Amino acid sequence: MFDIVLFAVFPYVAVIIAVVVGLYRYFNDRFTYSSLSSQFLENRILFFGTVPWHYGVIIILSAHLFAFLVPVLWGDLIADQTRLYIMELTGLSLALMSIVGITILIARRFRNVRAKAVMSFMDWVLLFALLTQVILGFWTALVYRWGSDWYLHTAVPWLYSLLLLNPEIQHVTALPWEVKFHMLGGFLLVLLFPFTRLVHIVTYPLTYLWRPIQVVIWNRRVAK
Ligand code: HEM
């Protein structure tokens, strides 16, 4: 019963809330549809956190998505042992990179008074949810070897069954609890999406390509 709620109901609840609240926020409070940069408040530590975090997590999530979208191709890719080792090692390194990155970002918010002052409760929730998610992913990859292979026979059929509105939770319910938490963590982040600065993921500055150039001029005397 518990598994049904977690693996057959919760994912839909998360997606529906994300879409409905996300659209509501977009049309009613569009200015907040960003990550509200704190670069002006502190830039140096931000650089050392945000670069490894984004490179690490974006590449890993692209691999998650690629294996889900074209499982046969992914299967062919890892069928060779050397390639499998390379994929797993790359995944682990990128996971470490993103863990270091997000830890630096969290430490920065604690250490820098100005960066801390602009944090909301949900900003903290999001940072710790992301940290937990990448640690669980790293743990899964490290302890339950060859996840890039068993992912195809567990998570992928489960996710497709959700997509087809016919949840088949038996593909994932027997997995170890850390792995199950990691999978549910993906949907928890979907749920958090409209309530946090994660919304910046869908804001592409496309209009920058054709909008007139904006010149920013200081409107005060430069201190001598
Ligand atoms: C339903 C959603 C998700 C599923 C089913 C899933 C599943 C998995 C599996 C099976 C692994 C092990 C891969 C391996 O051993 O090579 C893994 C690794 C990992 N996942 Fe996820 N994941 C999900 C969402 C996420 C999200 C949203 C994040 C980050 C925000 C994330 C971050 C990671 C990281 C950092 C690793 C370790 C790197 C690697 O070796 O691939 N995952 N995930």
Side-chain angles (χ1 to χ4, degrees):
M1 178 64 193
F2 206 49
D3 276 339
I4 294 180
V5 174
L6 290 179
F7 293 96
V9 180
F10 175 64
Y12 291 115
V13 173
V15 171
I16 291 168
I17 292 181
V19 173
V20 174
V21 181
L23 286 175
Y24 178 84
R25 181 170 163 191
Y26 185 75
F27 288 110
N28 289 283
D29 201 7
R30 194 170 301 184
F31 176 68
T32 66
Y33 235 79
S34 92
S35 181
L36 296 177
S37 172
S38 62
Q39 193 178 10
F40 275 129
L41 306 176
E42 194 289 320
N43 194 13
R44 208 177 61 87
I45 308 177
L46 175 69
F47 175 82
F48 289 106
T50 199
V51 171
W53 162 251
H54 281 99
Y55 277 112
V57 85
I58 288 172
I59 298 173
I60 285 171
L61 286 180
S62 307
H64 278 55
L65 189 68
F66 184 75
F68 167 72
L69 290 177
V70 278
V72 177
L73 218 66
W74 182 266
D76 285 347
L77 194 68
I78 57 164
D80 175 77
Q81 212 175 36
T82 314
R83 285 202 300 258
L84 175 67
Y85 288 160
I86 293 174
M87 295 304 261
E88 292 270 332
L89 267 178
T90 312
L92 283 170
S93 319
L94 289 167
L96 263 185
M97 211 167 105
S98 51
I99 291 172
V100 169
I102 192 120
T103 307
I104 292 175
L105 292 175
I106 292 176
R108 167 182 179 265
R109 294 286 184 168
F110 272 114
R111 268 190 47 162
N112 187 283
V113 194
R114 290 192 293 176
K116 190 178 180 185
V118 294
M119 285 291 275
S120 71
F121 172 71
M122 286 314 283
D123 289 338
W124 287 115
V125 171
L126 178 66
L127 280 182
F128 281 100
L130 288 171
L131 175 67
T132 313
Q133 181 67 1
V134 284
I135 289 178
L136 280 175
F138 177 71
W139 181 258
T140 300
L142 187 71
V143 177
Y144 303 106
R145 276 297 151 82
W146 323 125
S148 32
D149 181 22
W150 55 253
Y151 173 82
L152 297 178
H153 314 287
T154 53
V156 171
W158 169 57
L159 291 170
Y160 272 106
S161 75
L162 288 175
L163 211 61
L164 298 172
L165 306 181
N166 182 24
E168 291 172 3
I169 62 171
Q170 69 275 16
H171 298 294
V172 284
T173 45
L175 290 171
W177 66 267
E178 306 95 305
V179 183
K180 291 202 306 193
F181 272 127
H182 179 71
M183 292 179 176
L184 292 173
F187 284 99
L188 178 70
L189 287 170
V190 171
L191 176 68
L192 287 179
F193 174 82
F195 302 100
T196 61
R197 56 177 64 218
L198 260 193
V199 288
H200 78 276
I201 293 175
V202 292
T203 55
Y204 302 103
L206 286 182
T207 49
Y208 279 46
L209 292 176
W210 57 82
R211 71 150 209 214
I213 299 166
Q214 185 182 336
V215 182
V216 179
I217 303 171
W218 289 111
N219 192 18
R220 62 173 165 78
R221 275 179 206 281
V222 180
K224 294 248 167 76

